[in-house]
Short mmCIF file of all heavy atoms in Angstrom, two decimals:
data_model
loop_
_atom_site.label_atom_id
_atom_site.label_comp_id
_atom_site.label_asym_id
_atom_site.label_seq_id
_atom_site.Cartn_x
_atom_site.Cartn_y
_atom_site.Cartn_z
N HIS A 73 -24.40 0.10 -1.02
CA HIS A 73 -24.43 -0.02 -2.48
C HIS A 73 -23.41 -1.07 -2.95
O HIS A 73 -23.70 -1.88 -3.84
CB HIS A 73 -24.13 1.35 -3.11
CG HIS A 73 -23.97 1.32 -4.59
ND1 HIS A 73 -25.05 1.26 -5.45
CD2 HIS A 73 -22.87 1.35 -5.37
CE1 HIS A 73 -24.62 1.24 -6.69
NE2 HIS A 73 -23.29 1.30 -6.68
N VAL A 74 -22.23 -1.07 -2.33
CA VAL A 74 -21.16 -2.00 -2.70
C VAL A 74 -21.31 -3.34 -1.98
O VAL A 74 -21.24 -4.40 -2.60
CB VAL A 74 -19.78 -1.37 -2.38
CG1 VAL A 74 -18.67 -2.41 -2.44
CG2 VAL A 74 -19.49 -0.21 -3.32
N ALA A 75 -21.56 -3.29 -0.67
CA ALA A 75 -21.46 -4.49 0.17
C ALA A 75 -22.63 -5.45 -0.03
O ALA A 75 -22.49 -6.65 0.22
CB ALA A 75 -21.35 -4.10 1.64
N ASP A 76 -23.77 -4.95 -0.50
CA ASP A 76 -24.94 -5.80 -0.70
C ASP A 76 -24.69 -6.92 -1.71
O ASP A 76 -25.39 -7.92 -1.71
CB ASP A 76 -26.15 -4.96 -1.13
CG ASP A 76 -26.86 -4.33 0.06
OD1 ASP A 76 -26.48 -4.66 1.21
OD2 ASP A 76 -27.78 -3.52 -0.16
N ASN A 77 -23.69 -6.72 -2.57
CA ASN A 77 -23.41 -7.71 -3.62
C ASN A 77 -22.18 -8.58 -3.31
O ASN A 77 -21.67 -9.28 -4.18
CB ASN A 77 -23.20 -6.98 -4.96
CG ASN A 77 -24.35 -6.03 -5.26
OD1 ASN A 77 -25.50 -6.44 -5.35
ND2 ASN A 77 -24.04 -4.76 -5.39
N ILE A 78 -21.68 -8.52 -2.06
CA ILE A 78 -20.46 -9.24 -1.68
C ILE A 78 -20.70 -9.95 -0.34
O ILE A 78 -21.39 -9.40 0.52
CB ILE A 78 -19.27 -8.26 -1.49
CG1 ILE A 78 -19.11 -7.31 -2.69
CG2 ILE A 78 -17.98 -9.02 -1.24
CD1 ILE A 78 -18.08 -6.22 -2.44
N THR A 79 -20.10 -11.14 -0.16
CA THR A 79 -20.24 -11.82 1.14
C THR A 79 -19.06 -11.48 2.05
O THR A 79 -17.90 -11.69 1.70
CB THR A 79 -20.34 -13.35 0.97
OG1 THR A 79 -19.30 -13.78 0.09
CG2 THR A 79 -21.67 -13.74 0.39
N ASN A 80 -19.38 -10.97 3.24
CA ASN A 80 -18.42 -10.63 4.31
C ASN A 80 -17.14 -9.91 3.86
O ASN A 80 -16.04 -10.37 4.16
CB ASN A 80 -18.01 -11.91 5.06
CG ASN A 80 -19.18 -12.59 5.72
OD1 ASN A 80 -20.12 -11.92 6.19
ND2 ASN A 80 -19.15 -13.91 5.75
N PRO A 81 -17.29 -8.78 3.16
CA PRO A 81 -16.07 -8.08 2.76
C PRO A 81 -15.38 -7.39 3.94
O PRO A 81 -16.06 -6.92 4.86
CB PRO A 81 -16.60 -7.02 1.78
CG PRO A 81 -17.98 -6.72 2.26
CD PRO A 81 -18.51 -8.02 2.79
N ARG A 82 -14.05 -7.36 3.93
CA ARG A 82 -13.33 -6.53 4.90
C ARG A 82 -13.46 -5.08 4.45
O ARG A 82 -13.41 -4.78 3.26
CB ARG A 82 -11.86 -6.94 4.98
CG ARG A 82 -11.68 -8.21 5.81
CD ARG A 82 -10.27 -8.72 5.76
NE ARG A 82 -9.37 -7.99 6.63
CZ ARG A 82 -8.12 -8.41 6.89
NH1 ARG A 82 -7.65 -9.50 6.32
NH2 ARG A 82 -7.35 -7.72 7.70
N VAL A 83 -13.66 -4.19 5.43
CA VAL A 83 -13.78 -2.75 5.15
C VAL A 83 -12.64 -2.04 5.86
O VAL A 83 -12.58 -2.02 7.10
CB VAL A 83 -15.15 -2.21 5.63
CG1 VAL A 83 -15.25 -0.71 5.37
CG2 VAL A 83 -16.30 -2.95 4.97
N LEU A 84 -11.73 -1.49 5.08
CA LEU A 84 -10.54 -0.83 5.62
C LEU A 84 -10.76 0.67 5.65
O LEU A 84 -11.01 1.29 4.60
CB LEU A 84 -9.32 -1.15 4.76
CG LEU A 84 -8.61 -2.49 4.98
CD1 LEU A 84 -9.55 -3.67 4.92
CD2 LEU A 84 -7.48 -2.65 3.97
N TYR A 85 -10.66 1.26 6.84
CA TYR A 85 -10.75 2.72 6.98
C TYR A 85 -9.34 3.29 7.05
O TYR A 85 -8.57 2.92 7.94
CB TYR A 85 -11.55 3.07 8.23
CG TYR A 85 -11.72 4.55 8.47
CD1 TYR A 85 -12.07 5.43 7.44
CD2 TYR A 85 -11.54 5.09 9.75
CE1 TYR A 85 -12.24 6.78 7.68
CE2 TYR A 85 -11.71 6.45 9.99
CZ TYR A 85 -12.05 7.29 8.95
OH TYR A 85 -12.22 8.63 9.18
N MET A 86 -9.02 4.18 6.10
CA MET A 86 -7.70 4.81 6.06
C MET A 86 -7.67 5.93 7.10
O MET A 86 -8.37 6.94 6.95
CB MET A 86 -7.45 5.42 4.67
CG MET A 86 -7.60 4.47 3.50
SD MET A 86 -6.57 3.05 3.69
CE MET A 86 -7.84 1.84 3.79
N THR A 87 -6.86 5.77 8.13
CA THR A 87 -6.83 6.76 9.21
C THR A 87 -5.47 6.77 9.90
O THR A 87 -4.86 5.70 10.06
CB THR A 87 -7.94 6.47 10.25
OG1 THR A 87 -7.70 7.26 11.42
CG2 THR A 87 -7.99 5.01 10.66
N PRO A 88 -5.00 7.96 10.32
CA PRO A 88 -3.74 8.01 11.08
C PRO A 88 -3.84 7.21 12.39
O PRO A 88 -2.82 6.91 13.00
CB PRO A 88 -3.55 9.50 11.37
CG PRO A 88 -4.45 10.23 10.43
CD PRO A 88 -5.58 9.29 10.12
N GLN A 89 -5.05 6.89 12.81
CA GLN A 89 -5.24 6.15 14.06
C GLN A 89 -5.33 4.64 13.86
O GLN A 89 -5.76 3.91 14.76
CB GLN A 89 -6.50 6.66 14.76
CG GLN A 89 -6.34 8.10 15.24
CD GLN A 89 -7.63 8.86 15.22
OE1 GLN A 89 -8.68 8.34 15.59
NE2 GLN A 89 -7.56 10.10 14.77
N GLY A 90 -4.91 4.16 12.69
CA GLY A 90 -5.03 2.73 12.39
C GLY A 90 -3.79 1.93 12.70
O GLY A 90 -2.76 2.47 13.13
N LYS A 91 -3.88 0.64 12.46
CA LYS A 91 -2.74 -0.26 12.56
C LYS A 91 -1.80 0.01 11.38
O LYS A 91 -2.27 0.20 10.25
CB LYS A 91 -3.24 -1.71 12.51
CG LYS A 91 -2.13 -2.75 12.55
CD LYS A 91 -2.69 -4.16 12.56
CE LYS A 91 -1.59 -5.19 12.39
NZ LYS A 91 -2.11 -6.56 12.32
N ARG A 92 -0.51 0.01 11.64
CA ARG A 92 0.45 0.36 10.59
C ARG A 92 0.46 -0.69 9.48
O ARG A 92 0.65 -1.88 9.74
CB ARG A 92 1.85 0.48 11.20
CG ARG A 92 2.95 0.82 10.18
CD ARG A 92 2.84 2.23 9.68
NE ARG A 92 3.09 3.15 10.77
CZ ARG A 92 4.31 3.51 11.16
NH1 ARG A 92 5.37 3.07 10.55
NH2 ARG A 92 4.46 4.34 12.16
N PHE A 93 0.26 -0.24 8.27
CA PHE A 93 0.32 -1.09 7.08
C PHE A 93 1.76 -1.51 6.80
O PHE A 93 2.67 -0.69 6.90
CB PHE A 93 -0.24 -0.32 5.89
CG PHE A 93 -0.26 -1.09 4.60
CD1 PHE A 93 -1.16 -2.13 4.42
CD2 PHE A 93 0.62 -0.79 3.58
CE1 PHE A 93 -1.19 -2.85 3.23
CE2 PHE A 93 0.60 -1.49 2.38
CZ PHE A 93 -0.31 -2.53 2.21
N ASP A 94 1.96 -2.79 6.51
CA ASP A 94 3.29 -3.27 6.13
C ASP A 94 3.15 -4.43 5.14
O ASP A 94 2.04 -4.79 4.75
CB ASP A 94 4.11 -3.67 7.37
CG ASP A 94 3.46 -4.80 8.17
OD1 ASP A 94 2.49 -5.43 7.67
OD2 ASP A 94 3.93 -5.08 9.29
N GLN A 95 4.28 -5.00 4.75
CA GLN A 95 4.27 -6.05 3.72
C GLN A 95 3.47 -7.28 4.18
O GLN A 95 2.80 -7.92 3.38
CB GLN A 95 5.70 -6.44 3.35
CG GLN A 95 5.81 -7.25 2.07
CD GLN A 95 5.34 -6.48 0.84
OE1 GLN A 95 5.46 -5.26 0.78
NE2 GLN A 95 4.80 -7.18 -0.13
N LYS A 96 3.55 -7.58 5.48
CA LYS A 96 2.82 -8.72 6.02
C LYS A 96 1.31 -8.51 5.87
O LYS A 96 0.58 -9.42 5.46
CB LYS A 96 3.20 -8.94 7.49
CG LYS A 96 2.53 -10.11 8.16
CD LYS A 96 3.24 -10.47 9.46
CE LYS A 96 2.32 -11.20 10.42
NZ LYS A 96 1.46 -10.26 11.22
N MET A 97 0.86 -7.29 6.17
CA MET A 97 -0.58 -7.00 6.02
C MET A 97 -0.97 -7.07 4.54
O MET A 97 -2.04 -7.58 4.20
CB MET A 97 -0.91 -5.61 6.59
CG MET A 97 -2.39 -5.42 6.88
SD MET A 97 -2.88 -3.73 7.33
CE MET A 97 -2.03 -3.51 8.87
N ALA A 98 -0.10 -6.58 3.65
CA ALA A 98 -0.37 -6.66 2.21
C ALA A 98 -0.57 -8.11 1.79
O ALA A 98 -1.50 -8.43 1.03
CB ALA A 98 0.77 -6.02 1.41
N GLU A 99 0.26 -9.01 2.30
CA GLU A 99 0.15 -10.44 1.96
C GLU A 99 -1.17 -11.02 2.44
O GLU A 99 -1.83 -11.77 1.70
CB GLU A 99 1.32 -11.22 2.55
CG GLU A 99 2.59 -11.09 1.72
CD GLU A 99 3.83 -11.59 2.45
OE1 GLU A 99 3.75 -12.67 3.08
OE2 GLU A 99 4.85 -10.89 2.39
#
Side-chain angles (χ1 to χ4, degrees):
H73 173 78
V74 166
D76 277 353
N77 308 301
I78 310 172
T79 48
N80 299 326
R82 282 173 79 170
V83 179
L84 279 52
Y85 180 45
M86 305 305 116
T87 167
Q89 293 148 42
K91 177 178 172 183
R92 179 71 65 84
F93 181 71
D94 61 11
Q95 195 63 31
K96 181 165 156 277
M97 199 188 295
E99 280 167 44

